[in-house]
Structure formats: C-alpha cells, structure tokens
Amino acid sequence: MQTVRARGISKYFGDVVALDGVDLDVAPGQIHGLVGPNGAGKTTLLGLLLGLAAADEGTLEILGAPAPAAPGGVAGFVDGPGLYPSLTARQNLAALARLRGRDARTAGIDDVLGQVGLTDVADDRVRGFSLGMRQRLGLAAALLTAPRLLVLDEPSNGLDPAGKKHVHTVLHRLADEGTTVVLSSHRMDDLEALCAEVTILATGRVVFSGPLGKLAAESRELEYRLRTPDPDAARGIAAGTPGLHLCDDAARHAGDALVVRAPVPALDDLVARLVRAGIAVRELAPVVSPLEAAFLALTEHQESSR
Ligand SMILES: Nc1ncnc2c1ncn2[C@@H]1O[C@H](COP(=O)(O)OP(=O)(O)OP(=O)(O)O)[C@@H](O)[C@H]1O
Ligand SMILES: [Mg+2]
C-alpha cells in the first residue's frame, strides 16, 4: 500500500489551473520532495494531502483510504504554521495537545521542543519568534501527533544552519521509524540531503517523478567552469577539442575562468590536452549542480511549450 496515491488530480481556482492531471505515489517511510517554480502548484497539492481542500478531478488516496485522511493520520502545515502569538512555545504545544484531548503534561512537549532545538526559548512568547523559529515550532506541533504522514510546505525556509540540521535530523529519524514525509522546497541542496525521490511540478503538471539519481542522469550536457593559469592558451585548446562548445559570452567570462559545455568524455579529452600542453587545471566544475541543471531544463521546456 502506498501512503499517497494520486491519479489525475486537477484543482482549479476560477480560470487558474493550479493542478492539471497530477499523479503521485509515495511509499511508506519515504521522504518525497516537491519542487517547481513559483505558482507550480506545490502548496495546492500539499493542501489536498492535508485535507484543507478537495480535488476537482481525479482520485486521491491517503494511507489506503480516499482523502481526506482520518484525523490523526496526517499532520503538517502549508503557508506557515498556525500559532498563537501571545502564548509561549510550550503553551502553544500544550494548547494543541489539549485540543486533541491529550494531557499536556504527558504529551511529550519537552521532547518535541528538544528535537527541533527550541528548548532554550520554550518559555518565550511566539510573538517574538523569527521565521525559522516559527517553522521549527510548527514542526514540533506536527510531531506531537505522531502522524503517519507528515506534510511540510518549505520547512527549511528561514532556517539557519543549526536549525536546518535539527530539522533534517528529525525528518530522517521519522522516516527511519516509518513515517512518510512529503515536503516542498526551493533548495536543491535540501532536496539532495533529504529526499530519495522528487516530483517536479511546472504550471500544475508533473514533468518528472522518481529517484534523484535518475533526474541527474537525464540532465543534458552541462556547462562547466574551467580555471587555469593561462586562460588564453586554454581557450585555444578548448576550441580545438571535438564535442566541446565554448560558452564565451562576456558576462560569464570572469577573470581566469572560461565556461564550456560538453559531455563528460569530451571533458576528459580537454583535461588530457591541457596537461599535455603543460597547462595546469585549477578547477573544472559544473556551473550549476546536475540536479539544478536538470530542474532548469525540465521546467524551462514546460514554460516554453505552453
Ligand atoms: N486560494 C487561491 N485562489 C486563487 N488562486 C490560487 C489560490 N491558491 C493558489 N492559487 C493559484 O494556483 C497556482 C498554484 O499556486 P501554489 O500556491 O500551489 O503554487 P506553489 O508551487 O506553492 O508556488 P510557490 O513556490 O510560490 O509557493 C498559482 O497560479 C496560484 O496563483
Ligand atoms: Mg507554495
């Protein structure tokens, strides 16, 4: 049984097609990332998983039953967590626990505050919390319910490196324990650190869904930045290397670096030629990560085909 199984989901806001025939499968214990340009439909899709709205078309099953999921099975937030500003972090969690009929003293509040790294500010009013602290408190609130599916909209938004580490650790541990996580992010590094599988949305449609490794492998020829002590000689050698294209517009030709586009075998050839000519290679690296390149290629194609 999949934790999430969506088939042909569409969602309209007036004339706007927010989701257009979306399929999604997420297996138990997976951390699945949603990525896509602004307005692609990520928040809309996460809202459907949380039961905040219903799809106009298609079928959506969560935890083996038609959406919306039964209370307690799913937790999370979109567009920032709902919190009481005049209460402290601890009081917010206690209020939530009581709303759900639990005894605030035994609900595990200190534990979840510790997990997200908010122990030191547990008794501060949420009014004074930064964006990153609110995000972490929202995650703590979701953890209180021990959900089987956790849904988070841009959970890394506003997090400092320490906060991010807390959140990543918590999400990996939850997934290890069998909780399924679906999250959105604009950060490729986050997705690479967290998710085995991603779904890329562009203008409401799925343009890729599957393992991250497959996405990088599908990416086209990449652009690489080459730095050598002798850029003029290196340029001449690059120009004479078969299968390699010099991207020599002035904007990207900064200092001793030049940009080339090539498949990997042509790059190998270039490095061999440079070394044979006695030119050292200081750096040869993708201009953007393979994942980001694949993302840009897939979403640009979608925009231009509309
Ligand atoms: N409540 C709403 N009323 C009208 N239009 C909406 C509503 N919610 C979303 N939309 C529209 O649906 C589309 C998808 O929006 P959504 O918020 O899901 O995108 P997103 O991928 O989360 O974008 P972002 O990266 O900016 O958060 C957009 O065109 C948006 O304007
Ligand atoms: Mg959004």
Side-chain angles (χ1 to χ4, degrees), residues 8 103 154 170 207:
D103 182 341
E154 300 184 35
V170 169
V207 294

Side-chain angles (χ1 to χ4, degrees), residues 42-43 79 153-154:
K42 304 178 296 295
T43 299
D79 290 332
D153 197 11
E154 300 184 35

Side-chain angles (χ1 to χ4, degrees), residues 148-228:
R148 291 169 66 198
L149 171 62
L150 179 62
V151 176
L152 300 169
D153 197 11
E154 300 184 35
S156 303
N157 198 6
L159 293 188
D160 61 22
K164 198 147 105 176
K165 202 166 153 220
H166 274 293
V167 169
H168 283 200
T169 305
V170 169
L171 295 183
H172 279 302
R173 188 181 50 68
L174 284 173
D176 286 345
E177 292 168 4
T179 304
T180 310
V181 182
V182 182
L183 56 85
S184 69
S185 178
H186 286 294
R187 302 285 315 255
M188 296 293 157
D189 51 351
D190 253 358
L191 292 166
E192 281 177 276
L194 281 172
C195 306
E197 299 204 342
V198 295
T199 293
I200 301 182
L201 290 173
T203 51
R205 294 186 205 162
V206 174
V207 294
F208 173 88
S209 192
L212 270 174
K214 186 161 168 260
L215 178 57
E218 276 180 5
S219 70
R220 301 179 302 189
E221 286 179 11
L222 293 181
E223 290 185 353
Y224 294 84
R225 188 184 310 100
L226 172 68
R227 292 199 320 118
T228 67

Side-chain angles (χ1 to χ4, degrees), residues 37-272:
N38 292 136
K42 304 178 296 295
T43 299
T44 304
L45 183 53
L46 295 174
L48 299 182
L49 300 184
L50 283 168
L52 302 176
D56 293 316
E57 286 162 18
T59 57
L60 176 59
E61 287 174 10
I62 296 172
L63 300 166
V74 184
F77 56 84
V78 295
D79 290 332
L83 302 164
Y84 298 106
S86 58
L87 301 185
T88 67
R90 194 191 303 281
Q91 287 167 341
N92 262 278
L93 296 181
L96 270 171
R98 280 194 293 270
L99 272 176
R100 298 199 187 95
R102 312 250 311 267
D103 182 341
R105 287 164 302 180
T106 57
I109 289 172
D110 286 323
D111 177 39
V112 295
L113 284 168
Q115 285 186 49
V116 300
L118 290 180
T119 303
D120 291 348
V121 293
D123 296 310
D124 293 356
R125 281 182 210 277
V126 166
R127 179 173 290 126
F129 273 23
S130 68
L131 172 65
M133 289 155 77
R134 284 169 204 266
Q135 293 279 85
R136 283 147 76 177
L137 185 54
L139 176 58
L143 292 177
L144 266 191
T145 68
R148 291 169 66 198
L149 171 62
L150 179 62
V151 176
L152 300 169
D153 197 11
E154 300 184 35
S156 303
N157 198 6
L159 293 188
D160 61 22
K164 198 147 105 176
K165 202 166 153 220
H166 274 293
V167 169
H168 283 200
T169 305
V170 169
L171 295 183
H172 279 302
R173 188 181 50 68
L174 284 173
D176 286 345
E177 292 168 4
T179 304
T180 310
V181 182
V182 182
L183 56 85
S184 69
S185 178
H186 286 294
R187 302 285 315 255
M188 296 293 157
D189 51 351
D190 253 358
L191 292 166
E192 281 177 276
L194 281 172
C195 306
E197 299 204 342
V198 295
T199 293
I200 301 182
L201 290 173
T203 51
R205 294 186 205 162
V206 174
V207 294
F208 173 88
S209 192
L212 270 174
K214 186 161 168 260
L215 178 57
E218 276 180 5
S219 70
R220 301 179 302 189
E221 286 179 11
L222 293 181
E223 290 185 353
Y224 294 84
R225 188 184 310 100
L226 172 68
R227 292 199 320 118
T228 67
D230 189 348
D232 289 333
R235 181 171 293 105
I237 290 172
T241 304
L244 188 136
H245 178 76
L246 260 176
C247 312
D248 225 1
D249 51 61
R252 282 184 299 180
H253 176 218
D256 59 351
L258 54 139
V259 176
V260 298
R261 191 169 65 239
V264 170
L267 288 175
D268 293 344
D269 190 14
L270 173 64
V271 172

